[in-house]
Amino acid sequence: MSEFNEFDQQGSVPNRDTGSIISHAFEMYKGVFLYGVVAMVIYIIGGFIIQTVSGFNSASMMEEMRDAGGDYSNFSYWNAPGFSLYLSLSGLLGILLAPLYVGLIYIVNKYNTKSQIDFADLFIGYKQNFVNILIYSILSGIISSVAMMLCFFPVIFVYPLLLLGYPILLFENASATEALGKSFNIAKENYGTFLGTTVLGALISIAGVILCGIGVILTAPFMMVVMYSAYCAFLGKPRQIAFKK
């Protein structure tokens, strides 16, 4: 496993390999994980509100699935009360919270460059390039959904192509289509590294579910940090950026 450059006043940059990127992301996440927890708590609260509004009861559905004893031939998710509305509202929530994930990436960069971090930085995506962040979230969601409908595994192979989108939107103030195109072009030229980084990053992100369900609050935001580290590796450490408050 390659080691990333030592910290200095200008910040660190990992090498262009999976091990170095993941190691760099670990070091970054140790310094900003509390902000990631805040982002996840906001997401969970939003999900709880949506479940209440839609009338969908996920616990009841899981109980029905357990009672089915492995025979799901007569079981349909779509027939569950409120499931369709819940799914629609969840998708909308994911889009509206995309700027929050971008804000976490911004905080990671400030931590890396030894800049002072303010809590308001977490919401910078709602002020900077907001429309393009939303459009990119929609486009990437459609791409991932199509891959998911074909089979679960294509999602694993498609997502690496989207890995740099959010950092590009933030640090380069790019349009949604520019970010999508640039991320795709860089990833396809270094696909093995991007695939390995995505798989390892995703496994760590979902580790909280495996080890302890509530632990996902601590681990899920790790993927956003991986995006930042991958961006640094292939496009260099972002310049010092200062947005209007």
Side-chain angles (χ1 to χ4, degrees):
M1 180 179 292
S2 300
E3 298 294 329
F4 54 85
N5 301 335
E6 293 296 326
F7 282 91
D8 55 30
Q9 291 301 312
Q10 288 72 45
S12 58
V13 175
N15 297 323
R16 294 183 175 184
D17 63 82
T18 296
S20 183
I21 293 171
I22 295 297
S23 294
H24 183 268
F26 264 123
E27 291 300 318
M28 295 294 102
Y29 194 55
K30 286 192 295 186
V32 303
F33 78 93
L34 288 178
Y35 294 97
V37 169
V38 171
M40 279 303 300
V41 169
I42 292 174
Y43 179 83
I44 290 172
I45 291 174
F48 177 77
I49 293 173
I50 285 175
Q51 191 164 179
T52 302
V53 171
S54 67
F56 172 65
N57 190 326
S58 58
S60 177
M61 187 177 75
M62 292 299 294
E63 185 175 342
E64 288 183 31
M65 292 178 68
R66 285 196 297 269
D67 292 341
D71 181 13
Y72 303 122
S73 58
N74 296 320
F75 184 84
S76 174
Y77 296 99
W78 299 104
N79 291 333
F83 180 73
S84 297
L85 178 59
Y86 173 77
L87 202 61
S88 299
L89 293 178
S90 294
L92 179 61
L93 178 66
I95 293 170
L96 294 178
L97 290 186
L100 197 65
Y101 310 143
V102 171
L104 181 58
I105 294 172
Y106 178 54
I107 286 176
V108 176
N109 185 58
K110 294 189 77 172
Y111 174 75
N112 190 25
T113 55
K114 309 298 188 293
S115 302
Q116 181 177 346
I117 299 173
D118 298 316
F119 181 74
D121 292 334
L122 188 59
F123 305 95
I124 198 69
Y126 293 97
K127 303 175 183 179
Q128 171 71 18
N129 214 8
F130 173 67
V131 174
N132 279 301
I133 291 172
L134 293 188
I135 294 174
Y136 182 85
S137 178
I138 294 171
L139 291 176
S140 60
I142 292 173
I143 293 171
S144 299
S145 296
V146 170
M148 183 71 78
M149 286 188 291
L150 294 176
C151 181
F152 175 76
F153 287 105
V155 177
I156 297 176
F157 296 114
V158 169
Y159 197 79
L161 302 173
L162 308 173
L163 196 65
L164 298 181
Y166 284 131
I168 291 172
L169 287 166
L170 172 64
F171 299 120
E172 302 179 20
N173 202 33
S175 69
T177 53
E178 288 171 343
L180 188 64
K182 187 169 184 176
S183 179
F184 179 87
N185 289 331
I186 294 173
K188 75 175 182 179
E189 295 296 327
N190 306 275
Y191 188 73
T193 298
F194 274 78
L195 179 61
T197 299
T198 300
V199 171
L200 283 180
L203 289 174
I204 294 169
S205 293
I206 64 174
V209 176
I210 299 172
L211 300 177
C212 176
I214 195 67
V216 71
I217 295 176
L218 298 176
T219 60
F222 182 72
M223 199 66 194
M224 298 300 111
V225 186
V226 170
M227 292 179 181
Y228 171 78
S229 295
Y231 181 93
C232 288
F234 287 91
L235 290 169
K237 182 180 60 64
R239 59 183 173 80
Q240 286 280 6
I241 50 179
F243 300 127
K244 295 180 180 179
K245 300 294 184 180

